[in-house]
Amino acid sequence: HFFVVMTLVSFKTISKFRGSEILRLPFQPPNSRSYSYPLNEKELLFYSNKKQTPVSLKSLMETGRGERLHDFNSIGQDRTAATEKVLIQVACFLHRELPVRLAHRAVKLEASTLLIKSENIKHVCNWYKQSFAQARACEVPSNVEKEAAFAKVIESIYERHSPTLITMAKGAHEIRTMLKQDVATFAGYQDVQKRLEDFYISRIGIRMLIGQYL
Protein backbone atom coordinates (compact mmCIF):
# COMPACT_ATOMS: atom_id res chain seq x y z
CA HIS A 1 0.00 0.00 0.00
CA PHE A 2 2.87 2.36 0.81
CA PHE A 3 4.36 1.87 -2.67
CA VAL A 4 1.01 2.53 -4.35
CA VAL A 5 0.57 5.76 -2.40
CA MET A 6 4.10 6.91 -3.22
CA THR A 7 3.62 6.17 -6.92
CA LEU A 8 0.29 8.03 -7.08
CA VAL A 9 1.73 11.03 -5.25
CA SER A 10 4.75 11.06 -7.56
CA PHE A 11 2.58 10.90 -10.70
CA LYS A 12 0.37 13.71 -9.37
CA THR A 13 3.31 15.88 -8.40
CA ILE A 14 5.23 15.62 -11.64
CA SER A 15 2.12 15.94 -13.83
CA LYS A 16 1.34 19.24 -12.11
CA PHE A 17 4.34 20.75 -13.87
CA ARG A 18 3.78 19.18 -17.29
CA GLY A 19 2.13 22.05 -19.14
CA SER A 20 -0.05 20.90 -22.03
CA GLU A 21 2.30 22.63 -24.45
CA ILE A 22 5.15 20.25 -23.60
CA LEU A 23 3.31 17.03 -22.81
CA ARG A 24 4.90 14.18 -24.70
CA LEU A 25 2.73 12.20 -27.05
CA PRO A 26 2.20 8.64 -25.79
CA PHE A 27 5.24 6.65 -26.84
CA GLN A 28 4.56 3.16 -28.14
CA PRO A 29 7.93 1.37 -28.02
CA PRO A 30 8.55 -1.71 -30.12
CA ASN A 31 8.94 -5.04 -28.41
CA SER A 32 12.24 -3.96 -26.92
CA ARG A 33 12.90 -7.40 -25.47
CA SER A 34 13.78 -8.51 -29.00
CA TYR A 35 16.49 -5.86 -29.30
CA SER A 36 20.01 -6.20 -27.96
CA TYR A 37 22.59 -3.59 -27.01
CA PRO A 38 26.36 -4.02 -26.77
CA LEU A 39 27.23 -4.94 -23.20
CA ASN A 40 30.55 -4.25 -21.52
CA GLU A 41 30.77 -6.87 -18.75
CA LYS A 42 33.60 -5.01 -16.97
CA GLU A 43 31.52 -1.85 -16.93
CA LEU A 44 28.54 -3.82 -15.61
CA LEU A 45 30.67 -5.17 -12.75
CA PHE A 46 32.08 -1.70 -12.05
CA TYR A 47 28.60 -0.21 -11.72
CA SER A 48 27.40 -3.11 -9.60
CA ASN A 49 30.01 -2.14 -7.01
CA LYS A 50 28.80 1.46 -6.82
CA LYS A 51 26.52 2.47 -3.97
CA GLN A 52 22.90 3.21 -4.79
CA THR A 53 21.71 6.72 -3.96
CA PRO A 54 19.05 6.70 -1.21
CA VAL A 55 15.84 8.36 -2.36
CA SER A 56 13.04 9.45 -0.02
CA LEU A 57 9.42 10.30 -0.74
CA LYS A 58 10.14 13.82 0.52
CA SER A 59 12.97 14.33 -1.99
CA LEU A 60 10.80 12.99 -4.83
CA MET A 61 8.02 15.42 -3.99
CA GLU A 62 10.38 18.37 -3.61
CA THR A 63 12.04 17.58 -6.93
CA GLY A 64 8.69 17.18 -8.67
CA ARG A 65 7.58 20.59 -7.35
CA GLY A 66 10.82 22.16 -8.55
CA GLU A 67 11.94 23.02 -5.04
CA ARG A 68 15.39 21.61 -5.63
CA LEU A 69 16.11 23.90 -8.54
CA HIS A 70 18.33 26.66 -7.18
CA ASP A 71 16.96 29.24 -9.63
CA PHE A 72 13.38 27.95 -9.62
CA ASN A 73 11.94 31.10 -7.99
CA SER A 74 13.75 33.34 -10.46
CA ILE A 75 11.87 31.72 -13.33
CA GLY A 76 8.74 33.58 -12.27
CA GLN A 77 5.61 32.76 -14.21
CA ASP A 78 7.44 30.91 -16.98
CA ARG A 79 5.92 27.55 -16.07
CA THR A 80 7.13 25.87 -19.27
CA ALA A 81 10.74 26.74 -18.45
CA ALA A 82 10.21 25.50 -14.91
CA THR A 83 8.77 22.21 -16.15
CA GLU A 84 11.57 21.63 -18.59
CA LYS A 85 14.16 22.26 -15.90
CA VAL A 86 12.44 19.83 -13.53
CA LEU A 87 12.31 17.13 -16.20
CA ILE A 88 15.95 17.64 -17.13
CA GLN A 89 16.96 17.52 -13.46
CA VAL A 90 15.09 14.24 -12.87
CA ALA A 91 16.38 12.81 -16.17
CA CYS A 92 19.99 13.58 -15.27
CA PHE A 93 19.55 11.85 -11.91
CA LEU A 94 18.09 8.77 -13.61
CA HIS A 95 20.90 8.80 -16.15
CA ARG A 96 23.39 8.49 -13.27
CA GLU A 97 21.41 6.26 -10.93
CA LEU A 98 19.54 3.79 -13.13
CA PRO A 99 22.65 1.99 -14.49
CA VAL A 100 23.83 1.43 -10.91
CA ARG A 101 20.54 -0.15 -9.83
CA LEU A 102 20.21 -2.25 -12.97
CA ALA A 103 23.78 -3.52 -12.63
CA HIS A 104 23.18 -4.48 -8.99
CA ARG A 105 20.20 -6.63 -9.96
CA ALA A 106 21.86 -8.35 -12.91
CA VAL A 107 25.05 -9.23 -11.03
CA LYS A 108 23.27 -10.38 -7.88
CA LEU A 109 20.89 -12.61 -9.82
CA GLU A 110 23.82 -14.24 -11.59
CA ALA A 111 25.64 -14.65 -8.28
CA SER A 112 22.99 -17.11 -7.10
CA THR A 113 24.12 -20.45 -8.48
CA LEU A 114 20.69 -21.89 -7.74
CA LEU A 115 18.43 -19.15 -9.13
CA ILE A 116 20.41 -18.76 -12.33
CA LYS A 117 19.66 -22.40 -13.21
CA SER A 118 16.16 -21.25 -14.09
CA GLU A 119 15.68 -20.29 -17.73
CA ASN A 120 13.02 -17.77 -16.70
CA ILE A 121 15.35 -16.06 -14.26
CA LYS A 122 18.08 -16.04 -16.91
CA HIS A 123 15.67 -14.12 -19.14
CA VAL A 124 15.09 -11.56 -16.38
CA CYS A 125 18.83 -11.23 -15.79
CA ASN A 126 19.37 -10.61 -19.51
CA TRP A 127 16.65 -7.92 -19.50
CA TYR A 128 18.53 -6.10 -16.75
CA LYS A 129 21.77 -6.38 -18.70
CA GLN A 130 20.13 -5.06 -21.87
CA SER A 131 18.56 -2.18 -19.99
CA PHE A 132 21.91 -1.36 -18.37
CA ALA A 133 23.63 -1.27 -21.76
CA GLN A 134 20.79 0.78 -23.27
CA ALA A 135 20.87 3.32 -20.43
CA ARG A 136 24.66 3.62 -20.62
CA ALA A 137 24.46 4.27 -24.36
CA CYS A 138 22.33 7.39 -23.78
CA GLU A 139 23.75 10.87 -23.88
CA VAL A 140 23.43 12.96 -20.75
CA PRO A 141 19.94 14.55 -21.03
CA SER A 142 21.28 18.06 -20.52
CA ASN A 143 18.79 19.90 -22.73
CA VAL A 144 15.18 19.61 -23.88
CA GLU A 145 15.94 17.59 -27.01
CA LYS A 146 18.22 15.11 -25.26
CA GLU A 147 15.76 14.77 -22.38
CA ALA A 148 12.95 13.89 -24.82
CA ALA A 149 15.14 11.21 -26.44
CA PHE A 150 16.14 9.88 -23.03
CA ALA A 151 12.47 9.66 -21.99
CA LYS A 152 11.77 7.35 -24.93
CA VAL A 153 14.63 5.09 -23.85
CA ILE A 154 13.29 4.99 -20.29
CA GLU A 155 9.82 4.10 -21.55
CA SER A 156 11.38 1.31 -23.58
CA ILE A 157 13.18 0.00 -20.49
CA TYR A 158 9.98 0.24 -18.44
CA GLU A 159 8.13 -1.80 -21.07
CA ARG A 160 10.87 -4.42 -21.28
CA HIS A 161 10.55 -5.21 -17.58
CA SER A 162 6.75 -5.27 -17.42
CA PRO A 163 6.59 -9.12 -17.37
CA THR A 164 9.27 -9.41 -14.68
CA LEU A 165 6.98 -10.36 -11.78
CA ILE A 166 5.29 -13.25 -13.58
CA THR A 167 8.59 -14.40 -15.10
CA MET A 168 10.31 -14.45 -11.69
CA ALA A 169 7.35 -16.37 -10.24
CA LYS A 170 7.72 -18.93 -13.00
CA GLY A 171 11.43 -19.08 -12.24
CA ALA A 172 10.85 -19.72 -8.55
CA HIS A 173 8.40 -22.48 -9.41
CA GLU A 174 10.95 -23.90 -11.85
CA ILE A 175 13.60 -24.01 -9.12
CA ARG A 176 11.21 -25.56 -6.59
CA THR A 177 10.26 -28.25 -9.12
CA MET A 178 13.91 -28.89 -9.87
CA LEU A 179 14.60 -29.38 -6.16
CA LYS A 180 11.47 -31.54 -5.78
CA GLN A 181 10.39 -29.56 -2.72
CA ASP A 182 6.95 -28.50 -1.53
CA VAL A 183 6.15 -24.83 -0.89
CA ALA A 184 6.82 -24.97 2.86
CA THR A 185 10.21 -26.64 2.46
CA PHE A 186 11.24 -24.30 -0.36
CA ALA A 187 10.43 -21.33 1.86
CA GLY A 188 13.15 -22.61 4.20
CA TYR A 189 15.88 -21.95 1.64
CA GLN A 190 16.96 -18.74 3.36
CA ASP A 191 19.55 -17.64 0.80
CA VAL A 192 17.09 -17.97 -2.08
CA GLN A 193 14.31 -16.21 -0.18
CA LYS A 194 16.64 -13.35 0.82
CA ARG A 195 17.80 -12.86 -2.77
CA LEU A 196 14.22 -12.85 -4.04
CA GLU A 197 13.15 -10.38 -1.35
CA ASP A 198 16.06 -8.04 -2.17
CA PHE A 199 15.24 -8.33 -5.86
CA TYR A 200 11.57 -7.40 -5.42
CA ILE A 201 12.32 -4.49 -3.09
CA SER A 202 14.87 -3.14 -5.54
CA ARG A 203 12.44 -3.54 -8.41
CA ILE A 204 9.85 -1.45 -6.56
CA GLY A 205 12.43 1.31 -6.14
CA ILE A 206 13.40 1.28 -9.81
CA ARG A 207 9.78 1.30 -11.00
CA MET A 208 8.98 4.14 -8.60
CA LEU A 209 11.86 6.29 -9.88
CA ILE A 210 10.92 5.66 -13.51
CA GLY A 211 7.23 6.22 -12.82
CA GLN A 212 7.94 9.53 -11.08
CA TYR A 213 9.88 10.68 -14.13
CA LEU A 214 7.51 9.49 -16.85
Side-chain angles (χ1 to χ4, degrees):
H1 296 298
F2 179 62
F3 167 60
V4 173
V5 171
M6 284 195 295
T7 303
L8 290 175
V9 170
S10 299
F11 285 165
K12 183 176 180 181
T13 300
I14 199 70
S15 63
K16 177 181 176 183
F17 286 87
R18 289 182 184 272
S20 58
E21 62 272 75
I22 68 162
L23 271 176
R24 302 189 188 94
L25 292 175
F27 175 65
Q28 297 296 329
N31 183 0
S32 56
R33 291 186 294 276
S34 65
Y35 286 71
S36 61
Y37 301 86
L39 174 68
N40 185 323
E41 293 283 356
K42 289 184 179 179
E43 186 177 52
L44 179 74
L45 184 60
F46 174 77
Y47 271 79
S48 73
N49 287 319
K50 285 189 171 186
K51 288 186 177 180
Q52 297 180 175
T53 304
V55 179
S56 67
L57 176 58
K58 181 175 182 289
S59 66
L60 286 177
M61 293 181 67
E62 288 176 349
T63 301
R65 291 194 296 259
E67 294 174 5
R68 297 203 169 202
L69 290 172
H70 297 301
D71 58 346
F72 183 75
N73 292 329
S74 66
I75 296 174
Q77 299 302 314
D78 189 353
R79 183 59 64 191
T80 298
T83 307
E84 290 173 349
K85 287 179 179 292
V86 169
L87 291 176
I88 290 171
Q89 182 186 39
V90 177
C92 286
F93 172 74
L94 265 185
H95 185 270
R96 295 190 307 272
E97 182 67 15
L98 192 58
V100 176
R101 296 184 178 231
L102 294 171
H104 274 238
R105 290 307 101 210
V107 170
K108 288 186 178 180
L109 276 181
E110 278 194 327
S112 173
T113 55
L114 182 56
L115 288 178
I116 206 62
K117 290 179 180 179
S118 161
E119 289 301 319
N120 284 289
I121 292 177
K122 282 181 183 177
H123 286 316
V124 172
C125 187
N126 286 334
W127 294 342
Y128 276 85
K129 287 183 175 183
Q130 281 197 8
S131 294
F132 169 82
Q134 188 179 11
R136 287 292 299 141
C138 289
E139 290 186 275
V140 177
S142 54
N143 58 40
V144 174
E145 292 75 21
K146 290 178 180 179
E147 185 275 322
F150 180 72
K152 290 185 177 182
V153 170
I154 295 302
E155 289 191 43
S156 173
I157 290 174
Y158 193 86
E159 185 270 345
R160 174 182 294 121
H161 292 268
S162 59
T164 294
L165 286 179
I166 187 65
T167 308
M168 286 296 291
K170 289 178 179 178
H173 178 75
E174 192 178 354
I175 294 296
R176 184 170 68 82
T177 302
M178 187 187 307
L179 295 173
K180 299 180 180 180
Q181 301 289 351
D182 58 26
V183 175
T185 305
F186 185 62
Y189 284 70
Q190 295 300 317
D191 179 65
V192 171
Q193 299 303 323
K194 179 66 166 61
R195 287 179 186 274
L196 290 174
E197 181 181 334
D198 289 346
F199 174 85
Y200 288 125
I201 291 174
S202 175
R203 183 178 187 273
I204 289 172
I206 291 173
R207 302 291 276 188
M208 182 182 69
L209 289 176
I210 292 178
Q212 191 256 4
Y213 169 56
L214 296 178

